[in-house]
Coordinates of all heavy atoms in Angstrom, one line a residue:
D28 N -7.4 -0.5 1.5 CA -8.7 0.2 2.0 C -8.5 0.8 3.3 O -9.3 0.5 4.3 CB -9.8 -0.7 1.9 CG -10.5 -0.8 0.5 OD1 -9.8 -0.1 -0.4 OD2 -11.6 -1.3 0.4
G29 N -7.5 1.5 3.7 CA -7.4 2.2 4.9 C -7.1 1.2 6.0 O -7.6 1.4 7.1
S30 N -6.2 0.3 5.8 CA -6.0 -0.7 7.0 C -5.5 -0.1 8.2 O -4.5 0.6 8.1 CB -4.9 -1.7 6.4 OG -5.3 -2.4 5.2
P31 N -6.1 -0.4 9.3 CA -5.8 0.2 10.5 C -4.3 -0.4 11.0 O -3.7 0.3 11.8 CB -6.8 -0.3 11.5 CG -8.1 -0.6 10.8 CD -7.5 -1.0 9.4
D32 N -4.0 -1.6 10.4 CA -2.7 -2.1 10.9 C -1.5 -1.6 10.1 O -0.3 -2.1 10.2 CB -2.6 -3.6 10.7 CG -2.7 -4.2 9.3 OD1 -2.8 -3.3 8.4 OD2 -2.4 -5.3 9.1
N33 N -1.8 -0.5 9.3 CA -0.7 0.2 8.6 C 0.0 -0.7 7.4 O 1.2 -0.6 7.2 CB 0.5 0.6 9.5 CG 0.0 1.8 10.4 OD1 -0.8 2.7 10.0 ND2 0.4 1.7 11.6
T34 N -0.9 -1.5 6.9 CA -0.4 -2.3 5.7 C 0.1 -1.3 4.7 O 1.2 -1.6 4.0 CB -1.6 -3.0 5.0 OG1 -2.1 -4.0 5.9 CG2 -1.1 -3.7 3.8
A35 N -0.5 -0.2 4.3 CA 0.0 0.7 3.3 C 1.3 1.2 3.7 O 2.1 1.5 2.7 CB -1.0 1.9 3.2
T36 N 1.7 1.5 4.7 CA 3.0 2.0 5.3 C 4.1 1.0 4.9 O 5.1 1.4 4.5 CB 3.0 2.3 6.8 OG1 2.1 3.3 7.2 CG2 4.4 2.9 7.3
L37 N 3.7 -0.1 5.1 CA 4.8 -1.3 4.8 C 5.0 -1.4 3.4 O 6.1 -1.5 2.8 CB 4.3 -2.6 5.3 CG 5.3 -3.8 5.2 CD1 4.9 -4.7 6.4 CD2 5.2 -4.5 4.0
V38 N 3.9 -1.2 2.6 CA 4.1 -1.1 1.1 C 4.9 0.1 0.6 O 5.7 0.0 -0.3 CB 2.8 -1.1 0.4 CG1 2.8 -1.0 -1.1 CG2 1.9 -2.4 0.7
K39 N 4.7 1.2 1.2 CA 5.4 2.3 0.8 C 7.0 2.2 1.1 O 7.8 2.7 0.4 CB 5.0 3.5 1.6 CG 3.5 4.0 1.2 CD 3.1 5.1 2.1 CE 1.6 5.6 1.7 NZ 1.1 6.6 2.7
E40 N 7.2 1.5 2.2 CA 8.6 1.2 2.6 C 9.2 0.3 1.5 O 10.5 0.4 1.1 CB 8.7 0.4 4.0 CG 8.3 1.4 5.1 CD 8.3 0.6 6.3 OE1 8.4 -0.6 6.4 OE2 8.1 1.3 7.5
R41 N 8.5 -0.7 0.9 CA 8.9 -1.5 -0.2 C 9.1 -0.7 -1.4 O 9.9 -1.2 -2.3 CB 8.0 -2.7 -0.4 CG 8.0 -3.7 0.7 CD 9.3 -4.5 0.8 NE 9.2 -5.8 1.5 CZ 9.1 -5.9 2.7 NH1 9.0 -4.9 3.6 NH2 9.0 -7.2 3.3
Q42 N 8.4 0.3 -1.7 CA 8.5 1.0 -3.0 C 9.8 1.6 -3.3 O 10.3 1.6 -4.5 CB 7.4 2.1 -3.0 CG 6.0 1.6 -3.3 CD 5.0 2.8 -3.3 OE1 4.9 3.6 -2.4 NE2 4.3 2.8 -4.4
A43 N 10.5 1.9 -2.2 CA 12.0 2.4 -2.5 C 12.8 1.3 -3.0 O 13.7 1.6 -3.9 CB 12.6 3.0 -1.1
K44 N 12.6 0.1 -2.6 CA 13.5 -1.0 -3.1 C 12.9 -1.5 -4.6 O 13.8 -1.8 -5.3 CB 13.3 -2.2 -2.2 CG 14.0 -3.4 -2.6 CD 13.8 -4.5 -1.6 CE 14.6 -5.7 -1.9 NZ 14.4 -6.9 -0.9
Y45 N 11.6 -1.4 -4.8 CA 11.2 -1.7 -6.1 C 10.6 -0.6 -6.9 O 9.4 -0.6 -7.4 CB 10.1 -2.8 -5.9 CG 10.5 -4.0 -5.1 CD1 9.9 -4.2 -3.9 CD2 11.5 -4.9 -5.6 CE1 10.4 -5.4 -3.0 CE2 11.9 -5.9 -4.8 CZ 11.4 -6.2 -3.6 OH 11.7 -7.3 -2.9
A46 N 11.4 0.4 -7.0 CA 10.9 1.7 -7.7 C 10.6 1.4 -9.2 O 11.2 0.7 -9.9 CB 12.0 2.6 -7.8
G47 N 9.5 1.9 -9.5 CA 9.0 1.8 -10.9 C 8.2 0.4 -11.2 O 7.8 0.2 -12.3
K48 N 8.2 -0.5 -10.1 CA 7.6 -1.8 -10.2 C 6.4 -2.0 -9.2 O 5.6 -2.8 -9.5 CB 8.7 -2.9 -10.1 CG 9.8 -2.8 -11.1 CD 10.9 -3.8 -10.6 CE 10.5 -5.3 -10.8 NZ 11.7 -6.1 -10.5
L49 N 6.5 -1.3 -8.1 CA 5.5 -1.6 -7.0 C 4.7 -0.3 -7.0 O 5.3 0.8 -6.7 CB 6.1 -1.9 -5.9 CG 5.3 -2.0 -4.5 CD1 4.2 -3.0 -4.6 CD2 6.1 -2.3 -3.4
F50 N 3.4 -0.4 -7.0 CA 2.5 0.8 -6.9 C 1.4 0.6 -5.8 O 1.1 -0.6 -5.4 CB 1.9 1.1 -8.3 CG 2.8 1.1 -9.4 CD1 3.0 -0.1 -10.3 CD2 3.4 2.2 -9.7 CE1 3.9 0.1 -11.2 CE2 4.5 2.3 -10.8 CZ 4.6 1.2 -11.5
L51 N 1.0 1.7 -5.3 CA 0.1 1.7 -4.2 C -1.0 2.7 -4.5 O -0.8 4.0 -4.8 CB 0.7 2.0 -2.9 CG -0.2 2.2 -1.6 CD1 -0.8 0.9 -1.3 CD2 0.6 2.8 -0.5
E52 N -2.3 2.3 -4.3 CA -3.5 3.1 -4.3 C -4.1 2.9 -3.0 O -4.5 1.9 -2.6 CB -4.5 2.7 -5.5 CG -3.9 3.1 -6.9 CD -4.1 4.4 -7.2 OE1 -5.2 4.9 -7.4 OE2 -3.0 5.1 -7.4
E53 N -4.4 4.1 -2.3 CA -4.9 4.1 -1.0 C -6.4 4.6 -1.1 O -6.5 5.7 -1.7 CB -4.1 5.1 0.0 CG -2.8 4.3 0.3 CD -2.0 5.2 1.3 OE1 -2.3 5.0 2.4 OE2 -1.2 6.0 0.9
R54 N -7.3 4.0 -0.4 CA -8.7 4.3 -0.4 C -9.1 4.5 1.1 O -8.6 3.9 1.8 CB -9.5 3.4 -1.1 CG -9.1 3.1 -2.7 CD -10.2 2.4 -3.3 NE -10.7 1.1 -2.7 CZ -11.7 0.5 -3.1 NH1 -12.4 0.9 -4.2 NH2 -12.2 -0.7 -2.6
K55 N -10.0 5.4 1.2 CA -10.5 5.7 2.6 C -11.6 4.8 3.0 O -12.7 4.9 2.4 CB -11.0 7.2 2.7 CG -9.8 8.2 2.5 CD -10.1 9.7 2.7 CE -9.1 10.7 2.5 NZ -9.5 12.0 2.6
G56 N -11.4 3.8 3.9 CA -12.4 3.0 4.4 C -12.5 1.7 3.7 O -11.9 1.6 2.6
K57 N -13.2 0.7 4.2 CA -13.3 -0.6 3.6 C -14.4 -0.5 2.7 O -15.6 -0.7 3.1 CB -13.5 -1.5 4.8 CG -13.4 -3.0 4.3 CD -13.5 -3.9 5.6 CE -13.3 -5.4 5.2 NZ -13.4 -6.3 6.3
L58 N -14.2 -0.5 1.4 CA -15.1 -0.4 0.4 C -15.5 -1.5 -0.4 O -16.3 -1.5 -1.3 CB -14.5 0.8 -0.7 CG -14.2 2.1 -0.1 CD1 -13.8 3.1 -1.1 CD2 -15.4 2.7 0.6
G59 N -14.9 -2.7 -0.2 CA -15.2 -3.8 -0.8 C -14.2 -4.4 -1.8 O -13.6 -3.6 -2.5
L60 N -14.2 -5.7 -2.0 CA -13.3 -6.4 -2.9 C -13.5 -6.0 -4.3 O -12.6 -5.7 -5.1 CB -13.4 -7.9 -2.7 CG -12.5 -8.8 -3.6 CD1 -11.0 -8.7 -3.2 CD2 -12.9 -10.2 -3.6

């Protein structure tokens, strides 16, 4: 949910290692669990 600490960037870096197994959906803002 748009983490200011760049959580999504770290996940994207892992996607190259785990291609086809690790997926990421990014949302704008903290929208709730």
Side-chain angles (χ1 to χ4, degrees):
D28 275 7
S30 297
D32 72 346
N33 294 318
T34 296
T36 300
L37 190 149
V38 175
K39 290 175 183 176
E40 293 171 355
R41 288 293 200 286
Q42 284 184 302
K44 181 178 179 180
Y45 303 115
K48 298 173 65 177
L49 175 60
F50 307 96
L51 173 67
E52 290 283 290
E53 295 183 80
R54 307 195 304 169
K55 294 182 179 180
K57 195 174 180 181
L58 303 178
L60 180 72

